[in-house]
């Protein structure tokens, strides 16, 4: 059996042109060597597996490339030191002793110190002078993955080169090159999945590739990579979005249960869902599609699903799972936390579908079924009569001959008489109430028929007009006073004063829409934003700034007012405040309950007897003490 050489060593670049994904560094080093501008101390820093040591070895060969040396002669001028195992002061002292000697062949001696951040503080201090003023034939190349652990005095003496993570496309392209050299037929999606799993490290990607080739042989498929490398498949995320868009929460919860049964951690699913929502947002715009680091087939699926979903849903999902990512580790019930996030997606889609449907006015449900049998049902009650005719009593039957006889002139002549004839009163009533003339024609007769002040009912009884009206209309028999009738007509023409009930009727009713739950902080911010508007009255602004309404439930707020005037102001303001809050808090059933503050009047005590009585109520022993001492209160 032959010794197997891993792909990371077998296909290690031997020239700067073969280095993958670090073009900005290789070009700089080549131009520095060509123009003799190469520093004597270089620091290569970056993540693991991105080519730091490889570039250091290539640079060591390129420096002495003009000397036409063989591989063995070049190796004599290259010294590698692992600082992880040679991190003491003695190791650095031995290195300094070697630096003093000039190279036997070639022009430069190159010292490569890998993992230089592992040196001790004393070793760094011992290395400072030599690193600042090295011999002309010595070049130091330091490599590290943790630049922040190197002391600033070392950093200031080095020319720093920052290596970046290799992109997924570059890694996948290099893996395709290696697969072709090895005679392995690999699917592009499989290579992209390996590249994504490597997290920007080409050496890790080559190690995973060797592992997969050992398992699959000469053919490498996407399903094999997902199974062997224990990767959460893209299909789970695509199916989750489809189930949420279809408002199918039972299958969505079963899908998450399937993920857990396969041994995956719930946090991996949360992170994967957040990344999936991000990729769907990226796929919505043609200019950002290139940010997708996936294979061609997976990219096409992203384009199709992003076109079938709305941007609001994608932003909502990204926000939900980004919050779950921070809450997962601190949660005592992580599974319920993730399931709640999935249900939020379903709820959002459900609310969006309700908004898109045509709004239909809700049909009021009857309450007759809740009434006892002794009370009449609302559905059986007749419709109320018109307001104006309902206040007038039914006139007495009049003979047909009496209808055409009355005229305006006789009515005016009978006005001064103190008691009109009974037979003419019905005719006058019929003339005023039963005629088809509009009310404007009847009003001019008022001055001619006005009663004297002493005959007015208000002079005998100090009653409001409404009470006099009920008193007058309550008569069933006998003659009808023309004075009372005219007062009734005048009261009907007067505008009605607004009452508390009429003010409450202007409050907006609950509308169709979402009824989201909000916090007291969100309510406070919404009220502050509302009160900053210029049209808000000063009284309302002061009331809302002085108190935050109490949240009784998600649809009901309670606010306390001091008096009826403040209540009237607030009822008028609800016409604009309630719709604004419903839209701001996304709760279209929100309403206010106004509560009147209780004024507790405390009785002040002035006289000594009152003060003593108050004290005795709290401590009865004072009465016994006064009797024993026989003292006066003054």
């Amino acid at each position: 059996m032959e010794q197997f050489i891993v792909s990371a060593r077998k296909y290690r670049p031997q020239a700067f042109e073969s280095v993958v994904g670090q073009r900005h560094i290789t070009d700089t080093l080549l131009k520095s060597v060509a123009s003799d501008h190469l520093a004597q101390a270089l620091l290569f820093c970056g993540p693991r597996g991105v080519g730091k040591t490889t570039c250091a070895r290539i640079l060591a060969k390129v420096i002495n490339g003009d000397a036409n040396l063989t591989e063995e002669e070049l190796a004599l001028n290259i010294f590698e030191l692992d600082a992880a195992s040679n991190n003491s002061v003695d190791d650095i002292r031995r290195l300094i002793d070697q630096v003093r000697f000039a190279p036997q062949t070639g022009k430069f001696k190159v010292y490569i110190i890998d993992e230089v951040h592992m040196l001790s503080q004393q070793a760094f201090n011992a290395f400072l002078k030599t690193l600042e003023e090295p011999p002309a034939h010595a070049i130091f190349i330091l490599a590290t993955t943790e630049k922040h652990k190197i002391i600033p005095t070392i950093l200031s003496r080095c020319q720093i080169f920052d290596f970046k993570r290799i992109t997924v496309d570059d890694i996948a392209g290099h893996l395709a090159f290696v697969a072709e050299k090895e005679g392995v037929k690999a699917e592009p999606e499989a290579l992209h999945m390996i590249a994504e799993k490597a997290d920007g490290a080409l050496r890790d990607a080559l190690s995973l590739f060797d592992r997969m080739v050992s398992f699959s042989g000469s053919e490498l498929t996407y399903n094999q990579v997902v199974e062997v490398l224990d990767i959460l498949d893209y299909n789970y995320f695509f199916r989750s979005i489809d189930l949420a868009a279809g408002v199918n929460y039972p299958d969505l919860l079963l899908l998450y249960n399937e993920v857990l049964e396969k041994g995956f951690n719930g946090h991996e699913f949360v992170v994967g869902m957040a990344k999936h929502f991000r990729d769907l947002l990226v796929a919505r715009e043609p200019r950002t599609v290139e940010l997708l680091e996936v294979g061609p087939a997976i990219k096409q699926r992203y384009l199709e699903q992003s076109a079938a979903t709305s941007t609001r849903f994608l932003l909502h999902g990204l926000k939900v799972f980004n919050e779950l990512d921070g809450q997962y580790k601190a949660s005592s019930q992580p599974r319920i936390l993730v399931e709640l996030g999935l249900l939020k997606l379903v709820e959002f889609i459900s609310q969006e579908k309700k908004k898109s449907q045509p709004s239909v006015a809700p049909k009021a449900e009857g309450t007759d079924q809740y009434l006892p049998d002794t009370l009449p049902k609302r559905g059986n009650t007749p419709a109320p009569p018109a307001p104006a005719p309902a206040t007038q009593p039914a006139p007495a039957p009049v003979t047909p001959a009496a209808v055409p006889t009355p005229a305006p002139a006789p009515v005016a002549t009978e006005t001064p008489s103190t008691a009109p004839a009974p037979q003419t009163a019905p005719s006058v009533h019929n003339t005023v109430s039963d005629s088809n003339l509009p009310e404007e024609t009847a009003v001019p007769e008022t001055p001619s028929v006005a009663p004297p002040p002493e005959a007015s009912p208000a002079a005998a009884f100090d009653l409001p007009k409404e009470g006099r009206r009920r008193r007058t209309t309550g008569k069933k028999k006998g003659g009808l006073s023309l004075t009372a009738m005219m007062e009734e007509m005048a009261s009907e023409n007067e505008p009605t004063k607004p009452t508390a009930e009429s003010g409450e009727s202007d409050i907006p009713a609950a509308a169709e829409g979402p009824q989201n739950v909000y916090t007291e902080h969100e309510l406070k911010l919404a009220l502050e934003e509302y009160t900053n508007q210029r049209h808000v009255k000063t009284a309302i602004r002061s009331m809302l700034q002085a108190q935050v309404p109490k949240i009784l439930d998600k649809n009901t707020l309670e606010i306390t007012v001091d008096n009826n005037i403040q209540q009237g102001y607030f009822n008028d303001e609800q016409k604009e405040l309630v719709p604004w809050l419903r839209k701001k808090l996304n709760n279209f059933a929100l309403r206010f309950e106004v509560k009147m503050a209780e004024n507790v009047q405390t009785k002040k005590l002035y006289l000594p007897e009152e003060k003593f009585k108050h004290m005795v109520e709290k401590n009865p022993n004072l009465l016994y003490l006064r009797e024993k001492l026989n003292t006066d209160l003054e």
Side-chain angles (χ1 to χ4, degrees):
M1 178 175 138
E2 297 182 1
Q3 179 66 32
F4 174 71
I5 301 176
V6 296
S7 298
R9 291 180 55 195
K10 185 176 181 180
Y11 295 98
R12 190 168 199 149
Q14 301 299 321
F16 280 130
E17 292 77 7
S18 302
V19 177
V20 179
Q22 306 296 344
R23 185 70 179 270
H24 63 294
I25 290 179
T26 56
D27 289 350
T28 303
L29 293 176
L30 283 174
K31 292 178 181 179
S32 300
V33 173
S35 59
D36 291 334
H37 272 219
L38 188 66
Q40 287 191 300
L42 308 175
L43 175 62
F44 293 170
C45 52
R48 68 186 189 282
V50 294
K52 298 185 298 295
T53 306
T54 299
C55 288
R57 292 177 178 178
I58 295 174
L59 180 61
K61 294 179 182 179
V62 172
I63 290 173
N64 291 318
D66 297 337
N68 296 323
L69 303 177
T70 62
E71 291 292 334
E72 290 78 7
E73 291 174 339
L74 286 174
L76 294 175
N77 293 332
I78 300 175
F79 301 90
E80 285 196 37
L81 178 67
D82 181 20
S85 56
N86 300 278
N87 56 2
S88 64
V89 180
D90 295 336
D91 297 323
I92 296 300
R93 286 174 180 171
R94 283 193 295 268
L95 177 64
I96 294 173
D97 293 339
Q98 295 177 7
V99 170
R100 287 185 250 176
F101 300 102
Q104 296 179 356
T105 58
K107 188 177 179 181
F108 295 99
K109 292 175 70 173
V110 181
Y111 294 88
I112 301 174
I113 305 178
D114 203 1
E115 303 297 335
V116 69
H117 65 275
M118 300 294 289
L119 290 176
S120 63
Q121 183 73 26
Q122 294 77 9
F124 273 127
N125 294 331
F127 194 38
L128 282 176
K129 189 63 177 176
T130 303
L131 193 63
E132 183 177 5
E133 297 178 356
H137 60 268
I139 294 179
F140 293 97
I141 303 178
L142 313 180
T144 179
T145 56
E146 301 181 36
K147 183 175 68 173
H148 60 279
K149 291 186 177 181
I150 301 176
I151 60 177
T153 50
I154 294 291
L155 294 177
S156 64
R157 288 166 169 79
C158 298
Q159 194 174 81
I160 302 175
F161 292 85
D162 289 307
F163 286 69
K164 63 181 181 180
R165 293 181 182 273
I166 305 176
T167 63
V168 174
D169 291 336
D170 289 341
I171 295 177
H174 188 70
L175 290 178
F177 167 76
V178 174
E180 183 180 355
K181 290 289 186 180
E182 294 292 327
V184 178
K185 185 178 179 181
E187 294 181 357
E189 287 75 18
L191 298 180
H192 270 83
M193 181 60 74
I194 294 176
E196 187 175 351
K197 181 73 173 178
D199 193 21
L202 184 58
R203 183 171 60 234
D204 294 357
L206 290 171
S207 300
L208 294 175
F209 176 79
D210 291 341
R211 178 180 167 187
M212 288 306 308
V213 170
S214 300
F215 173 79
S216 61
S218 59
E219 291 189 4
L220 185 60
T221 63
Y222 173 79
N223 293 330
Q224 290 174 344
V225 173
V226 170
E227 180 182 357
V228 175
L229 298 184
D230 196 24
I231 299 174
L232 196 56
D233 191 4
Y234 286 113
N235 292 326
Y236 287 109
F237 306 129
F238 283 111
R239 288 168 57 192
S240 298
I241 301 299
D242 291 338
L243 292 175
V247 197
N248 189 356
Y249 74 89
D251 290 344
L252 184 59
L253 297 180
L254 291 176
L255 177 65
Y256 178 59
N257 183 67
E258 180 182 346
V259 172
L260 297 180
E261 287 181 349
K262 286 193 173 183
F264 293 105
N265 188 6
H267 192 240
E268 296 179 18
F269 180 79
V270 171
V271 174
M273 284 294 292
K275 183 179 181 300
H276 187 74
F277 277 109
R278 176 262 180 193
D279 291 340
L280 287 175
L281 281 171
V282 165
R284 290 188 65 85
E285 290 292 334
R287 293 181 298 173
T288 57
V289 172
E290 61 184 15
L291 298 178
L292 290 176
E293 298 178 340
V294 294
I298 302 297
K299 181 181 291 186
Q300 184 61 31
R301 292 187 64 182
Y302 270 112
L303 294 175
E304 293 174 357
Q305 191 171 71
S306 64
T309 53
S310 64
T311 305
R312 294 184 70 251
F313 171 66
L314 297 180
L315 289 174
H316 177 74
L318 183 60
K319 178 183 177 182
V320 168
F321 281 92
N322 189 38
E323 292 175 353
L324 289 181
D325 186 16
Q327 300 170 359
Y328 188 88
K329 293 183 179 180
S331 175
S332 59
Q333 296 288 341
R335 173 166 184 164
I336 297 179
L337 186 68
V338 179
E339 290 176 345
L340 182 60
L342 295 174
L343 292 177
K344 286 182 180 179
L345 300 181
V346 177
E347 180 189 12
F348 183 86
I349 293 294
S350 177
Q351 295 293 342
E352 289 294 312
K353 288 185 177 181
K354 287 182 180 179
K355 291 181 182 179
S356 62
Q357 294 176 356
S359 59
V360 180
K363 186 176 181 181
E365 298 181 359
T367 57
D368 290 345
Q369 54 181 333
Y370 303 107
L371 297 176
D373 297 336
T374 56
L375 296 178
K377 305 300 181 182
R378 180 175 298 178
N380 300 332
T381 56
T391 58
Q392 299 290 344
V398 182
T399 58
V403 175
T405 52
V411 173
T413 57
E414 292 179 3
T415 302
S417 61
T418 56
Q423 63 272 12
T424 59
S427 63
V428 174
H429 175 76
N430 294 335
T431 304
V432 178
S433 62
D434 295 343
S435 63
N436 295 327
L437 296 177
E439 291 182 4
E440 289 78 8
T441 60
V443 173
E445 297 182 3
T446 304
S448 61
V449 297
E454 61 275 10
S456 175
F461 304 101
D462 190 12
L463 296 174
K465 291 184 178 181
E466 198 67 27
R468 298 200 305 270
R469 180 178 176 182
R470 290 194 299 267
R471 184 181 179 91
T472 305
T473 56
K475 297 180 180 181
K476 298 296 183 179
K477 298 180 181 180
L480 179 64
S481 172
L482 184 60
T483 303
M485 181 183 67
M486 300 307 295
E487 288 183 356
E488 285 186 24
M489 295 176 62
S491 65
E492 290 178 1
N493 293 330
E494 289 180 1
T496 58
K497 296 181 179 181
T499 60
E501 290 78 3
S502 63
E504 294 178 358
S505 63
D506 296 334
I507 300 174
E512 284 291 331
Q515 299 181 11
N516 291 357
V517 179
Y518 48 87
T519 62
E520 184 177 355
H521 180 67
E522 294 174 345
L523 174 62
K524 185 177 180 181
L525 293 179
L527 290 175
E528 288 179 359
E529 184 177 350
Y530 180 80
T531 54
N532 290 333
Q533 300 180 16
R534 299 184 61 182
H535 71 275
V536 180
K537 298 178 181 178
T538 305
I540 297 299
R541 184 181 290 110
S542 302
M543 182 195 308
L544 296 178
Q545 289 177 352
Q547 63 171 318
V548 178
K550 182 179 180 182
I551 302 176
L552 300 181
D553 54 54
K554 68 175 184 178
N555 297 333
T556 308
L557 300 176
E558 183 183 83
I559 190 167
T560 304
V561 297
D562 296 332
N563 47 53
N564 292 332
I565 299 177
Q566 201 174 37
Q567 182 179 3
Y569 276 124
F570 185 76
N571 287 340
D572 293 339
E573 190 68 24
Q574 286 195 59
K575 302 174 187 178
E576 297 182 4
L577 174 60
V578 171
W580 194 88
L581 283 179
R582 288 175 178 175
K583 184 177 179 181
K584 189 69 177 178
L585 301 177
N586 202 18
N587 187 327
F588 287 80
L590 186 141
R591 65 185 185 87
F592 277 94
E593 286 189 1
V594 183
K595 179 182 178 182
M596 188 71 67
E598 297 181 358
N599 296 326
V600 181
Q601 298 182 354
T602 57
K603 183 180 179 181
K604 296 184 178 180
L605 306 177
Y606 297 100
L607 301 178
E609 291 80 3
E610 295 176 349
K611 295 179 181 179
F612 181 75
K613 183 179 180 181
H614 179 70
M615 295 171 63
V616 168
E617 291 178 355
K618 294 185 176 181
N619 188 359
N621 294 328
L622 293 176
L623 186 60
Y624 174 78
L625 180 63
R626 180 187 176 188
E627 293 177 355
K628 288 294 184 183
L629 297 177
N630 195 16
T631 59
D632 295 332
L633 295 177
E634 298 179 354

